[in-house]
Amino acid sequence: MSLRKTSFPPIVADDTRLLILGSLPGEKSLAAGEYYAHPQNRFWHLMERVITQPLVSLSYGDRINTLLRHKIGLWDAVQSAERQGSLDTAMRAIEATDLPSLVSRLPDLQAVAFNGRKSEAIGRPQLDEMPLETIALPSSSPAHTAMTFDQKAGEWDKLQQFLR
């Protein structure tokens, strides 16, 4: 069994204004072929608050379509890595995604938000020279237990400014 895991293609539209970057999908997400598929990951709950519309109760396809309607895209900072399990700390031989190439194709993009420290550590250096706001967010992962949901939500709510 290969330990090499590969990210999904970016989910964006021509009018994407906010791009949210994870690190690399976990085992449950990879198995389901869906971003943030682990039932304890709080991503969809946090985004539901940000856009003030239901997401959690929707099918995956409807969740994605709702984000795109709100001009929100998803991708990862890691294209592929060797990893046993789902933890970011277990990643080795990391190959980063080509963020500058994607960003250059999104003329309305205003900000990139990093879902967790690993995403930020890998993604931010690629975007330093680009005229974008970058936002570090606490991870939505169930492994990130240092903050309560409400504390995380207070930080994630900052994304609303890019949706007006």
Side-chain angles (χ1 to χ4, degrees), residues 61-150:
D62 288 341
R63 289 175 181 180
I64 295 302
N65 288 333
T66 301
L67 288 185
L68 291 173
R69 275 197 310 278
H70 282 86
K71 302 179 185 341
I72 300 168
L74 297 177
W75 204 24
D76 287 304
V78 176
Q79 176 61 41
S80 70
E82 293 176 6
R83 182 184 66 201
Q84 179 90 38
S86 296
L87 294 177
D88 285 353
T89 54
M91 282 193 271
R92 304 289 182 262
I94 294 171
E95 176 191 340
T97 53
D98 185 358
L99 292 176
S101 177
L102 177 65
V103 166
S104 70
R105 297 191 316 263
L106 299 173
D108 295 338
L109 190 66
Q110 296 177 5
V112 175
F114 302 103
N115 183 358
R117 288 186 184 150
K118 182 63 93 174
S119 170
E120 181 183 16
I122 295 166
R124 188 181 293 274
Q126 292 191 63
L127 302 175
D128 277 346
E129 304 299 316
M130 308 198 101
L132 292 169
E133 278 210 48
T134 54
I135 303 108
L137 297 170
S139 176
S140 65
S141 167
H144 180 56
T145 58
M147 296 175 80
T148 66
F149 176 81
D150 287 337

